[in-house]
């Protein structure tokens, strides 16, 4: 019996060995034996109504990628090796961190040479880098290098294709096989396959590329950027189309597409199938064959009708009036209409299998886009119908935030790329993903200041917290103290009596030394004198002595009562991200001069609150010093003027909101520093401020200031009731 069992076991074992050697290929295709292969595959899209979306496709079909179904696995592997010889590059293996230790994150651009043609788009990229706070003209200080060779269009049929790049870069002494280099690319490959071949060896360089395919993307090393047109603005960019209460969440058309239909070649399958979901009512899906030189040679039976229907709808009208916009792949994975849909608040429905979405390392696209599958096109209508109105509005709002924060200009695309790389290099000071996906965005939340959400002025409402209950009074003094009756001494006494005052800092910007400690008023809070450099930009330097969230910025000639200070601080605690204060100014568009105008007239409308008497969050000191370019700070230092206007520009650009004006006594007037009295009342002072207004708008690329007619008064202010019933009764005393 034992012998029989032994023979049965040996026979069974031998059968398995034979099956393994002669039928191994079939066994290895089983999912439960292919665990290693399964880990490489991209996760199935997370649909909003995943439980309702049933798959009728064969499991083996779902494991393949529709974009490369005509290529064998071996051919794809060989193609990838030819394109990316350093396909296993990571920051730890292909980047020299030591170059960034001494001088920090500095970027060097190779000097431009006349004989090398440069496209308009690449020139915008170079300009954005050279105007950024990270630029250096010294290669010895550089942490990252940018080529002076235009690598954006690597389609060898294009007139902008640059030949012999390999020969050129090998002659660069700084090239070092691409180490610490960043290469930008928008178009790769050419007809008919449009592979990702760039036509030169990138070595160990980081690739910032549009239409990135996931199989070629090196996570944590490469960066996927959006495809943008040559008309994309270098600075500023247009605002998004969604305004508060301007449109309902669901618009006239539920789902829309209008674009080219490729009759042959890669990308044709998806667009040729779009007509199946068109119903001419809430779903508009229009294509045209009429493009290219020889479209009539490949004309099919649908072309005439498609071309006719195509002309019945305006593309911009569809963008304005559609809730969802289909974004199918073109010849390449990316498409211009992706950014167009974001700007229009038309929720993108992506049909581009294998596309590594732009800035996916930091942006959570599940909050603003629907990632579909090209092979499940017919299920798209039912999918978007199941999304609730509240979620639709949230998606639309997020598209607007992403558009304005990262995509509305070439400068923002470049800045986002650089900031992602910087976060990798200085991981301890990197931004949490929450900051990238919440207003005001990662570019305006500096990790050098803090990575703790509570330290910023933007997130208190979302987390149910409040800023600290004390403030620091920050007074800029430019005149010597020669009399006990000087306004600065009275101001210190009034501010120090506030129950919310934690300390008083005096920024001494006078040629003569400050008076000894005994000459200053006796205060219940600490008073510290800081020696400045006699530059107006010093008042917004991030001094470590400022220990509270709130800063009360004051000029030495400002006159305020304790009640005014107390009330303004209480108001600020409800609006910690804005400037809250007293003296107001406004801007307007002067059509006769075709420029912005500045006015100090007392009207019901204003757009600036001057920092001669205003509360704001101390974070804006860091943003003013570290975010704004040195050229703007040098301008205001040279003029000894306009620093308050620049701070208003900065805060409004961050918040997209106006400042807040609070009640003040009638006789309160903004007084200019003594050294400027002669010009403050003259035309020079006024013309300087108007010139600043236009120069600041030019740097930002648009006018960020926002008009307001809101003024906040205490309860019962000016009401005909007993003064004893009023909390801030001293505000009404003349």
């Amino acid at each position: 019996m034992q012998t029989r069992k032994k023979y049965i076991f040996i026979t069974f074992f031998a059968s398995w060995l034979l099956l393994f050697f002669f039928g191994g290929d079939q066994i290895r295709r089983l999912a439960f034996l292919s665990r290693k292969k399964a880990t490489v595959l991209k996760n199935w899209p997370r649909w909003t109504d995943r439980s309702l979306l049933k798959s009728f496709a064969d499991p083996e079909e779902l494991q393949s990628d529709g974009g490369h179904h005509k290529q064998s696995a071996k051919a794809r592997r060989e193609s990838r090796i030819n394109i990316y010889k350093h396909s296993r590059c990571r920051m730890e293996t292909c980047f020299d961190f030591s170059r960034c230790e001494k001088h920090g994150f500095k970027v060097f651009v190779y000097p431009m040479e006349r004989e090398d043609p440069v496209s308009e788009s690449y020139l915008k990229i170079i300009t954005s880098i050279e105007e950024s706070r990270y630029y250096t003209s010294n290669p010895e200080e550089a942490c990252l290098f940018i080529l002076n060779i235009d690598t954006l269009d690597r389609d060898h049929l294009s007139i902008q294709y640059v030949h012999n790049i390999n020969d050129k870069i090998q002659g660069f002494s700084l090239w070092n096989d691409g180490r610490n280099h960043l290469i930008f690319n928008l178009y790769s490959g050419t007809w008919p396959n449009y592979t990702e071949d760039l036509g030169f060896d990138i070595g160990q360089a980081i690739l910032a590329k549009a239409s990135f395919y996931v199989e070629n993307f090196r996570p944590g090393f490469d960066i996927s950027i959006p495809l943008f047109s040559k008309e994309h603005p270098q600075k500023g960019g247009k605002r998004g189309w969604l305004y508060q209460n301007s449109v309902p969440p669901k618009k006239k058309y539920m789902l829309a597409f209008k674009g080219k239909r490729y009759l042959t070649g890669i990308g044709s399958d998806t667009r040729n199938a779009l007509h199946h979901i068109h119903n001419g009512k809430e779903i508009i899906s229009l294509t045209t064959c009429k493009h290219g030189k020889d479209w009539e040679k490949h004309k099919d039976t649908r072309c005439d009708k498609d071309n006719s229907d195509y002309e019945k709808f305006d593309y911009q009208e569809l963008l304005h009036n559609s809730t969802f916009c289909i974004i199918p792949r073109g010849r390449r994975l990316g498409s211009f209409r992706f950014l167009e849909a974001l700007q229009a608040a038309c929720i993108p429905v992506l049909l581009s299998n294998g596309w590594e979405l732009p800035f996916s390392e930091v942006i959570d696209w599940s909050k603003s886009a629907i990632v579909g599958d090209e092979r499940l096109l017919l299920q798209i209508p039912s999918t978007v119908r199941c999304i609730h109105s509240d979620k639709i509005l949230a998606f639309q709002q997020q598209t607007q935030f992403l558009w304005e924060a990262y995509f509305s200009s070439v400068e923002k695309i470049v800045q986002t790329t650089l900031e992602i790389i910087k976060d990798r290099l200085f991981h301890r000071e990197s931004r949490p993903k929450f900051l990238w996906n919440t207003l005001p965005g990662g570019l305006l939340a500096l990790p050098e200041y803090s990575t703790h959400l509570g330290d910023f002025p933007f997130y208190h409402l979302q987390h149910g917290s409040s800023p600290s209950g004390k403030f620091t009074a920050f007074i800029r003094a430019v005149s010597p103290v020669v009399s006990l009756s000087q306004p600065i001494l009275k101001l210190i006494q009034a501010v120090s009596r506030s129950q919310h005052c934690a300390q008083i800092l005096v920024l001494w910007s006078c040629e003569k030394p400050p008076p000894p400690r005994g000459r200053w008023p006796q205060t219940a809070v600490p008073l510290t004198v800081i020696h400045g450099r006699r530059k107006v930009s010093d008042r917004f330097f991030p001094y470590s002595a400022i220990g509270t969230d709130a800063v009360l910025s004051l000029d030495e000639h400002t006159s305020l009562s304790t009640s005014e200070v107390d009330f303004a601080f209480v108001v600020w605690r409800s609006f910690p991200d804005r400037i809250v204060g007293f003296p107001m100014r406004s801007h307007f568009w002067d059509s006769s001069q075709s420029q912005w105008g500045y006015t100090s007239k007392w009207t019901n409308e204003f757009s600036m609150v001057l920092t001669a008497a205003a509360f704001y969050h101390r974070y804006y000191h860091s943003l003013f010093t570290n975010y704004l370019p040195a050229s703007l700070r040098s301008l205001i230092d040279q003029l000894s003027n306009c620093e308050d206007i620049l701070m208003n520009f900065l805060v409004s650009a961050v918040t997209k909101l106006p400042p807040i004006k609070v009640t003040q006594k009638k006789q309160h007037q903004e007084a200019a520093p003594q050294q400027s009295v002669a010009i403050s009342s003259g035309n020079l002072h006024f013309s300087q401020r108007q010139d600043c207004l236009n120069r600041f708008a030019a740097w930002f690329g648009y006018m960020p200031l926002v008009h307001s007619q809101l003024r906040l008064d205490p309860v019962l202010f000016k009401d005909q009731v007993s003064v004893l019933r009023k909390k801030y009764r001293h505000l009404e005393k003349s």
Side-chain angles (χ1 to χ4, degrees), residues 1 6 11 14 60 94 98 115 153 255 286-287 341 373 412 453 506 511-512 527 574 578 719 733:
M1 189 68 179
K6 182 177 180 180
T11 303
E60 188 171 316
C94 295
S98 65
E115 59 269 16
D153 194 342
L255 187 64
L286 305 170
T287 58
D373 190 298
K412 289 178 181 176
L453 301 181
V506 177
E511 292 183 3
K512 296 183 178 181
L527 187 150
S574 298
R578 303 207 224 174
D719 283 0
K733 290 184 178 181

Side-chain angles (χ1 to χ4, degrees), residues 540 552-553 568 578-587 598 605-616 643-649 651-652 657-662 664 668 670 689 705-706 708 710-711:
F540 299 131
L552 172 58
S553 175
R578 303 207 224 174
I579 296 177
V580 176
F582 300 93
M584 64 179 188
R585 297 292 181 265
S586 189
H587 75 287
Y598 174 85
E605 191 171 66
F606 65 95
S607 59
M608 291 172 275
V609 166
L610 304 186
T611 54
F615 281 97
Y616 53 79
E643 79 282 1
D644 46 2
I645 298 178
L646 184 55
M647 178 57 89
N648 273 269
F649 264 73
V651 176
S652 292
L657 296 169
I660 292 178
K661 176 172 172 50
V662 291
Q664 65 188 97
H668 176 80
E670 178 201 7
R689 294 177 75 80
L705 297 178
V706 182
S708 174
L710 173 68
R711 189 187 79 182

Side-chain angles (χ1 to χ4, degrees), residues 149-333:
I149 302 172
D150 189 346
T151 56
L152 291 185
D153 194 342
R154 301 307 298 158
D155 183 343
H156 66 76
L157 297 179
S158 171
I159 59 174
Q160 294 181 335
Y161 182 85
V162 179
H163 296 272
N164 305 319
I165 288 187
N166 269 328
D167 296 336
K168 295 178 181 179
I169 60 178
Q170 295 305 324
F172 295 152
S173 59
L174 298 171
W175 175 244
N176 192 23
D177 194 31
R179 206 168 177 84
N180 289 51
H181 280 67
L182 173 64
I183 293 174
F184 288 91
N185 174 256
L186 295 181
Y187 309 98
S188 62
T190 188
W191 174 269
N193 294 324
Y194 293 92
T195 64
E196 300 197 3
D197 186 6
L198 300 183
F200 69 98
D201 182 9
I202 66 172
Q204 301 179 56
I206 299 172
L207 186 58
K209 185 182 183 304
S211 305
F212 230 133
Y213 185 56
V214 290
E215 282 195 5
N216 295 330
F217 181 76
R218 297 169 291 183
F221 191 72
D222 291 327
I223 297 176
S224 178
I225 63 174
L227 183 66
F228 59 87
S229 67
K230 62 181 180 180
E231 290 82 18
H232 207 55
Q234 194 258 320
K235 275 183 173 291
K238 295 181 179 179
R239 297 288 299 272
W241 295 359
L242 183 68
Y243 294 95
Q244 188 175 11
N245 300 324
S246 62
V247 293
K250 292 186 178 180
K251 305 179 186 178
K252 180 179 180 180
Y253 304 111
M254 180 188 73
L255 187 64
F257 172 80
K258 182 181 180 182
K260 299 176 183 178
R261 175 162 70 91
Y262 303 121
L263 298 171
T264 59
I266 192 168
S268 58
D269 293 347
T270 303
R271 297 202 176 201
N272 277 335
L274 289 174
H275 74 281
H276 289 296
I277 62 173
H278 173 78
N279 62 17
K281 298 177 182 178
E282 82 273 21
I283 301 177
I284 305 298
S285 183
L286 305 170
T287 58
T288 179
C289 314
K290 200 173 182 180
H291 59 89
K293 296 179 180 179
D294 56 351
W295 69 273
E296 291 185 345
K297 294 180 181 179
H298 305 285
K299 183 177 178 180
D300 60 21
T301 55
R302 278 192 12 240
C303 277
D304 289 335
K305 186 178 186 307
D306 285 354
N307 293 342
S308 175
D309 293 342
Y310 187 84
E311 301 298 331
K312 295 178 181 178
F313 289 84
D314 179 72
Y315 178 63
Q316 295 296 321
E317 182 185 350
L318 283 177
L319 281 178
H320 271 285
N321 295 289
S322 300
T323 305
F324 298 91
C325 284
I326 300 175
I327 314 295
R329 63 162 298 153
R331 293 300 193 189
R332 300 173 180 87
L333 295 174

Side-chain angles (χ1 to χ4, degrees), residues 516-567:
R517 184 67 186 90
R519 295 283 302 275
W520 294 101
Q522 294 295 321
T523 59
V525 297
L527 187 150
T528 306
V529 177
I530 300 174
H531 292 272
R533 300 169 300 169
R534 289 186 290 159
K535 294 182 177 181
V536 294
S537 61
D538 284 353
R539 75 182 306 164
F540 299 131
F541 185 82
Y543 296 99
S544 58
I546 301 176
T548 59
D549 289 337
V551 176
L552 172 58
S553 175
L554 297 165
D555 281 350
E556 63 181 0
H557 289 271
T558 300
S559 174
L560 287 177
S561 68
T562 304
S563 293
E564 286 176 309
V565 172
D566 285 343
F567 176 66

Side-chain angles (χ1 to χ4, degrees), residues 377-431:
L377 172 64
L378 298 183
Q379 297 190 21
I380 294 297
S382 61
T383 300
V384 298
R385 281 193 184 100
C386 294
I387 302 178
H388 194 269
S389 296
D390 291 347
K391 193 154 193 175
I392 288 175
L393 184 56
F395 270 53
Q396 289 172 338
Q397 291 171 338
Q398 192 69 359
T399 62
Q400 301 301 274
F401 158 64
L402 293 176
W403 163 257
E404 294 188 11
Y406 308 119
F407 299 110
S408 62
S409 68
V410 175
E411 182 183 58
K412 289 178 181 176
I413 293 172
V414 171
Q415 282 183 348
T416 305
T417 303
L418 295 180
E419 293 293 345
I420 290 173
I421 296 174
K422 180 173 176 285
D423 276 4
R424 295 172 182 171
L425 298 174
F426 305 96
H427 189 66
R428 291 183 179 179
E429 294 183 352
S430 62
R431 304 163 179 82

